[in-house]
Amino acid sequence: MEPIRLTQFARGGGCACKIPAGELEQIVAGLHVAAPPGSDVLVGLDDGDDAAAVRIEGGRAVLSTSDFFTPVVDDPYDWGRIAAANAVSDIYAMGGDPIMAINLVAWPRELLPTELLTEVLRGGLDVATEAGFPVLGGHSIDAPEPIYGMAVTGTADPDRLMRNDAAQAGLAISLTKPLGVGVLNNRHKATGERSEEAIASMVALNRDAAHAALAAGVRAATDVTGFGLLGHLYKMCRASGVAARIDAAAVPYVTGAREALAAGHVPGGSKRNLDWVRPHLSAVGITEDELILLADAQTSGGLLVVGEVPGAPVVGETVAAGSLPDGALVQVA
């Protein structure tokens, strides 16, 4: 029998299957309500940060996030590992440490053997074990498409949170993982061709990068996932009241990403990301292909850090709001 290709059971794949950012903002507009009296919300809905943060008794902050998606690769164990690394990334992106998680599962029982689901869960559990937190149950449903992810709880020092609204002008911008897994995953879905480098990047935890950023005194960071580097940088600039320049030549890419792009393997999410950011983007002399890669919908991407992180390339700098042409918030040069 031919092996089952999980990616063929989903319309999208990985974080590229997110609801488009602009559409999502319209959906939740007006749903923001004041926190109940007595609560101590540190990070809520206002700026679409990576996780929610609430101060609790004892002075610590509790972080809460969830993330799940349809298969990004065909191998069930690898998909589980990628989904778990992606889910816990939101905790690391805010400077926290995970303390527990629960699984979130949808599975088409009549289409796919449950033995594959066991492998998905085993992959997630192995990454959680590597990261040092337990997986304590979860919830599952029978559904038309396979979906897997986690809800993760963490803790952090409330005075050292890394937030997407804390960027200041005049600082370097660092990127801790290469881009390009979106187009490579799209090629994998279309042809079955695996990129071992892309998989290795996606399963790698952002833990060490987060700890290094905290040690360097970083106050602003986010992780690069479904909205691409340009999308997440735009959100950070908008929330912080700054602008940013990106040096396109300094941005690292996974081997084969440009070839996958040239072959036409572009996720629909990457195109939607670029369309969303374009009204706020200055990019004279930059090709459309380059912009697509910078907007490429990543799954379990690296941290986008305002500040320098040892070992991570500097890909740009923050500048004062209003200093870019035509009022742009992001400039690519």
Side-chain angles (χ1 to χ4, degrees), residues 33-41 54:
V33 295
S39 64
D40 200 348
V41 175
V54 178

Side-chain angles (χ1 to χ4, degrees), residues 3-231:
I4 295 174
R5 296 196 56 207
L6 284 176
T7 56
Q8 305 309 297
F9 290 83
R11 289 178 299 169
C15 290
C17 66
K18 279 187 175 182
I19 293 175
E23 184 177 331
L24 183 60
E25 289 185 344
Q26 291 178 3
I27 292 169
V28 301
L31 297 180
H32 299 204
V33 295
S39 64
D40 200 348
V41 175
L42 301 174
V43 179
L45 288 169
D46 292 343
D47 296 308
D49 217 324
D50 295 295
V54 178
R55 192 191 306 268
I56 59 171
E57 186 176 351
R60 293 289 286 173
V62 169
L63 310 181
S64 180
T65 185
S66 63
D67 215 310
F68 54 86
F69 45 68
T70 52
V72 67
V73 292
D74 289 326
D75 184 271
Y77 177 74
D78 285 340
W79 175 33
R81 292 196 297 157
I82 293 165
N86 180 74
V88 72
S89 177
D90 286 339
I91 300 295
Y92 294 136
M94 294 194 69
D97 292 303
I99 58 172
M100 63 158 288
I102 56 175
N103 286 316
L104 304 172
V105 174
W107 199 256
R109 293 170 48 253
E110 296 181 358
L111 298 176
L112 292 172
T114 53
E115 291 82 1
L116 293 183
L117 177 55
T118 299
E119 285 299 291
V120 175
L121 296 175
R122 186 168 68 88
L125 181 59
D126 281 355
V127 163
T129 300
E130 177 188 353
F133 65 89
V135 182
L136 303 173
H139 186 66
S140 61
I141 62 170
D142 190 341
E145 287 185 298
I147 296 171
Y148 175 63
M150 288 179 171
V152 187
T153 301
T155 62
D157 180 344
D159 296 324
R160 300 181 70 204
L161 285 177
M162 296 191 296
R163 307 168 55 128
N164 74 351
D165 64 353
Q168 297 180 339
L171 297 175
I173 298 173
S174 303
L175 179 66
T176 67
K177 283 187 186 181
L179 302 182
V181 299
V183 291
L184 289 167
N185 289 340
N186 198 260
R187 183 184 70 183
H188 176 65
K189 179 178 173 65
T191 69
E193 183 178 354
R194 281 173 60 98
S195 167
E196 298 301 336
E197 187 177 333
I199 291 173
S201 178
M202 289 186 286
V203 302
L205 294 171
N206 282 325
R207 175 182 55 195
D208 292 348
H211 290 171
L214 282 174
V218 167
R219 300 305 304 271
T222 188
D223 61 345
V224 181
T225 55
F227 301 144
L229 183 148
L230 291 181

Side-chain angles (χ1 to χ4, degrees), residues 166-170 233-234 236-244 306 318-322 324 328-330:
Q168 297 180 339
L233 181 58
Y234 163 62
M236 180 181 285
C237 289
R238 184 180 63 180
S240 300
V242 299
V306 179
T318 52
V319 297
L324 299 181
L329 287 183
V330 178

Side-chain angles (χ1 to χ4, degrees), residues 300-319:
S300 192
L303 300 184
L304 186 64
V305 178
V306 179
E308 294 194 46
V309 179
V314 171
V315 299
E317 62 178 345
T318 52
V319 297

